């Protein structure tokens, strides 16, 4: 999954439910140099540098005076994603500023872990690269695709031979990925195709 010398290739956007992303506690760089990509490791054993989410934007707030940025909440059938867009993503920030809540939105962004303070548990926030209003059918298709991808990861996790799966077993010893199977089926039960 590493980059080839002298080439640039964007990491694919992974589809993940909010309930699984919320459990991420491990973040790492793939390489030594400053520009090496940073990944969060999903509990089902897949690295993710970029995610694709679709849900309902339920809330957004503008913050900052000189360095303006927006925070928002996007809800899928399993939980809440926390998103943000600031001056480093001016186009995404403008897009987010224009959207009236509530609205179904499709978001591509970079997940990262942060802590409010040293003692607090890590939280996951998604730095928005793009955000667009979509319809309910698109949201339902995303739920279907994300459930399939989640079930595929659970199956690969059970085989247990990929390096990221082994790393996930080390980093998340108390999380049983099979719990995400029920979450995927519960999410599917909430849509009508």
């Amino acid at each position: 999954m590493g980059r080839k010398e002298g080439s640039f290739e964007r990491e694919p956007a992974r589809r993940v439910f909010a309930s699984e992303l919320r459990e991420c506690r491990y973040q790492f760089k793939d390489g030594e140099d400053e520009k090496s990509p940073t990944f969060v490791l999903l509990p089902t054993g897949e690295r993710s540098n970029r995610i694709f989410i679709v849900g309902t934007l339920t809330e957004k707030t503008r913050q900052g005076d000189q360095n303006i940025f927006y925070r928002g909440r996007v809800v899928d059938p399993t939980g809440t994603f926390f998103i943000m867009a600031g001056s480093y993503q001016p186009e995404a920030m403008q897009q987010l500023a224009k959207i009236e809540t509530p609205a179904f939105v499709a978001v591509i962004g970079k997940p990262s872990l942060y802590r409010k303070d040293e003692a607090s548990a890590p939280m996951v926030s998604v730095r928005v690269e793009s955000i667009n209003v979509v319809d309910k059918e698109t949201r339902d298709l995303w739920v279907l695709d994300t459930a399939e991808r989640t079930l595929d990861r659970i199956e690969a996790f059970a085989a247990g031979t990929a390096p990221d799966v082994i790393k996930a077993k080390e980093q998340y010893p108390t999380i049983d990925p099979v719990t995400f199977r029920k979450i995927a089926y519960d999410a599917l039960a909430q849509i009508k195709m």
Side-chain angles (χ1 to χ4, degrees):
M1 290 263 183
R3 292 182 302 169
K4 292 179 183 169
E5 187 83 23
S7 70
F8 176 77
E9 186 175 316
R10 286 189 150 220
E11 293 288 332
R14 312 285 184 206
R15 288 167 171 77
V16 59
F17 286 122
S19 62
E20 183 176 358
L21 190 67
R22 183 181 58 224
E23 297 298 326
C24 289
R25 300 287 181 268
Y26 182 67
Q27 183 170 285
F28 63 99
K29 277 193 149 211
D30 187 24
E32 301 288 323
D33 74 69
E34 187 180 314
K35 294 183 179 179
S36 296
T38 300
F39 296 88
V40 296
L41 183 63
L42 300 177
T44 50
E46 187 169 53
R47 63 179 61 198
S48 177
N49 169 266
R50 174 174 282 111
I51 62 172
F52 173 55
I53 59 178
V54 179
T56 307
L57 178 68
T58 60
E59 176 185 323
K60 69 172 181 183
T61 56
R62 177 183 159 151
Q63 298 185 324
D65 292 324
Q66 291 183 339
N67 295 321
I68 297 167
F69 65 98
Y70 282 82
R71 289 187 188 276
R73 291 174 183 251
V74 176
V75 177
D76 78 359
T78 73
T80 302
F81 298 96
F82 298 97
I83 63 170
M84 65 152 311
S87 58
Y88 291 109
Q89 309 87 34
E91 191 174 315
M93 187 174 73
Q94 290 172 3
Q95 290 171 312
L96 180 55
K98 291 178 187 171
I99 298 172
E100 297 293 327
T101 59
F104 289 122
V105 292
V107 178
I108 293 178
K110 291 185 171 285
S112 63
L113 300 181
Y114 70 97
R115 294 175 188 267
K116 288 183 178 175
D117 54 55
E118 291 280 330
S120 65
M123 299 179 68
V124 184
S125 177
V126 179
R127 184 168 41 95
V128 177
E129 293 180 336
S130 72
I131 180 169
N132 293 291
V133 174
V134 296
D135 58 17
K136 184 179 179 303
E137 183 179 356
T138 302
R139 193 285 308 260
D140 290 350
L141 286 171
W142 177 84
V143 171
L144 182 63
D145 285 348
T146 304
E148 282 181 16
R149 303 289 163 79
T150 301
L151 296 173
D152 288 348
R153 289 195 303 269
I154 292 168
E155 193 173 305
F157 189 92
T161 56
D164 287 342
V165 168
I166 293 168
K167 197 182 297 182
K169 289 178 179 178
E170 292 168 4
Q171 295 297 324
Y172 305 110
T174 61
I175 297 176
D176 182 356
V178 173
T179 59
F180 298 114
R181 178 178 295 145
K182 180 179 182 330
I183 288 168
Y185 286 129
D186 287 349
L188 288 172
Q190 293 185 39
I191 62 170
K192 293 179 181 172
M193 301 292 294

